[in-house]
Each structure stands twice: as structure tokens, then as C-alpha cells.
Amino acid sequence: MACILDGNGRWAEERGLVRSEGHGHGADPARRMVETADDMGLQWLSMYVFSTENWARPAAEVAVIMRAIERFIDANLESWHRRGIRIRYLGQPHNQVPSSLRSAMTRSAAVTASNTGMTVTVALNHGGQGDIVHAVRSIVAAGVPAGQITERTLAAHLPHPDMPPVDLLIRTSGEMRLSGFLLWHMAYAELVFLPDLWPDMTPEKFREAIEIYRHRSRRFGKVATR
Ligand code: IPE
Ligand code: IPE
Ligand code: MG
């Protein structure tokens, strides 16, 4: 399962607050989503928290987002580790990611690396097109003959090649687009767009989205089976 945590800015604006104040209010729903997914026995959860395009936001807002992510990791690492959750990150290194956040990322990934429960992938400075470009570069650098390149070759050169295709994508805030998230893995994903702004997200709404997914007919190009 994958999730685009969207709508923090509008949530704050609706309350007469500055946009940035919404980001801190995104942490609690994120924590509860991880716990609910784990309680439900999901094995893979990917969360889009910062895109390569988000650097175009005002520096002050970027700083607030980075701090919120760092707090989110620090506040939850112990509980995730106790649950056997493996945490890892998806996104190119970037010199504007504060060093304290970088060390929180490195530490949390290292501490939980050998856990065998749910894998939580936090997409920070991620872009699906960029990942595909990097994969192509590494295929070329490895000298793979053009005629031998298949979907499997490309998948094997993406970051975290063990990550399975996305079955369900949830995006909050009513926006109906991918904004570059996990483009390769999303080829046959079922998309569920919720009107709720991210800070208003609850475990109940999350379970409802999964219920919607359960009623979808997945065909993968075949004739529908009933
Ligand atoms: C999602 O909320 C958080 C990030 C993109 C980091 P937004 O900040 O995009 O909130 P809206 O979409 O502007 O309401
Ligand atoms: C996408 O949200 C990235 C994250 C939620 C992290 P945006 O709010 O940045 O996406 P657009 O600009 O509305 O497509
Ligand atoms: Mg947004």
C-alpha cells in the first residue's frame, strides 16, 4: 500500500493558520496509519512525504516540513522497532536535508534493518521519473545490451528492488494525481482518492479506503472474473 499525505497546508489555512502549521498536525495521523496498517497485517507501506518538486516551496515552509519529519521519526522509532517494523527511505540524498534529519534517517534505518515485520518506506525527496532515469543510467553503466533489457531489468535497478508493485494508493485532500510517486510500481495500482485533508485522516477512514479497494475488480488486462 502507498499513501500520499496531502492537504496539510489547506487544513491550516481553513483554520486561519499559516500553511506551515499544518505539517506538525500531520504527524499523528501518520503514526496512526502506520499502526493501523501493522495491526491489519500489511507487509508494505510507502508514505510520500516530500517530492523532488517540493524544494520549490518557500525555504521557511521546507524547514518546518523537515523538522516535522525528523520529530515524527524520533517520536516513533522505539515503538516501530518494538513492533518489528523495518523503516527505510526512498529519495536521492540532498544537501538541503538538514544533517540532524539525515542522521535520524540513517539511525532509524540501521536500527530496524533486520526487522522482519512490515516495511515502512518514507519517500523523501522522491520522484518516480528520477528513479527511472537513475535505473536506466545504472543499466547502461553495467553494459547490459539493449536487447536484453526487460521490465525485470529495470525493476532490478530501481532503489529497493525488493519492493513489490503497489496494490492500493490512497491520496488525501481531493487531488487526483500521482505527483510523481512510485510511477514504476503504480502501473496497476488501484487508486483511492479521499476528500479529507491529511491532518483529518483517521484509522476509520483508512480502513474505509481499504474496503473500497476490496470491492474493486482487478483485471490486469484479463476478462473480469466474478
Ligand atoms: C502535504 O501537504 C505535505 C507536503 C507536500 C510536504 P501540502 O503542504 O501539500 O498541503 P496542501 O496540498 O497545500 O493543502
Ligand atoms: C505531493 O504533494 C507530495 C507529497 C504529498 C509529499 P504536493 O502537494 O506537493 O503535490 P501537487 O503539487 O499538489 O501535485
Ligand atoms: Mg499538496
Side-chain angles (χ1 to χ4, degrees):
M1 208 199 82
C3 187
I4 303 177
L5 289 59
D6 198 15
N8 295 348
R10 277 164 284 169
W11 184 92
E13 278 165 355
E14 277 181 4
R15 284 160 180 75
L17 306 169
V18 290
R19 287 183 46 82
S20 287
E21 289 200 44
H23 299 305
H25 290 269
D28 212 47
R31 173 184 60 79
R32 294 201 284 167
M33 174 172 69
V34 171
E35 290 168 0
T36 308
D38 187 40
D39 292 344
M40 291 178 85
L42 265 72
Q43 287 301 299
W44 298 87
L45 173 66
S46 299
M47 303 162 63
Y48 201 11
V49 301
F50 197 87
S51 73
T52 47
E53 288 74 32
N54 286 146
W55 295 111
R57 295 192 181 195
E61 181 177 345
V62 169
V64 170
I65 296 170
M66 296 294 152
R67 218 173 310 129
I69 297 169
E70 186 179 329
R71 284 210 192 112
F72 174 64
I73 298 167
D74 287 343
N76 292 292
L77 178 57
E78 213 182 290
S79 142
W80 290 334
H81 190 39
R82 233 181 295 121
R83 283 173 173 265
I85 289 174
R86 174 172 62 155
I87 171 124
R88 54 193 198 180
Y89 297 89
L90 176 65
Q92 295 301 316
H94 195 287
N95 57 16
Q96 270 159 269
V97 175
S99 61
S100 54
L101 172 53
R102 263 182 277 162
S103 35
M105 292 164 70
T106 311
R107 191 177 60 250
S108 53
V111 166
T112 63
S114 50
N115 286 349
T116 55
M118 180 171 72
T119 299
V120 173
T121 305
V122 177
L124 197 169
N125 191 32
H126 163 77
Q129 289 187 337
D131 280 357
I132 293 170
V133 170
H134 276 94
V136 171
R137 283 189 190 153
S138 82
I139 292 167
V140 172
V144 182
Q148 284 179 24
I149 299 172
T150 64
E151 282 93 337
R152 280 169 73 137
T153 321
L154 207 127
H157 284 81
L158 287 169
H160 306 313
D162 56 341
M163 192 158 73
V166 173
D167 290 318
L168 165 62
L169 168 81
I170 300 172
R171 182 174 188 152
T172 55
S173 88
E175 306 299 344
M176 298 187 190
R177 55 179 171 270
L178 298 180
S179 303
F181 190 27
L182 289 174
L183 297 180
W184 181 268
H185 303 82
M186 216 72 93
Y188 264 95
E190 293 296 328
L191 311 179
V192 173
F193 298 105
L194 301 178
D196 312 85
L197 301 174
W198 178 257
D200 291 329
M201 194 61 185
T202 61
E204 293 67 38
K205 288 171 186 167
F206 179 73
R207 286 172 189 275
E208 277 165 31
I210 291 177
E211 226 15 67
I212 294 171
Y213 165 79
R214 287 211 173 108
H215 287 89
R216 294 274 175 90
S217 155
R218 302 193 78 190
R219 307 200 184 129
F220 301 101
K222 299 174 196 143
V223 174
T225 47
R226 292 261 154 223

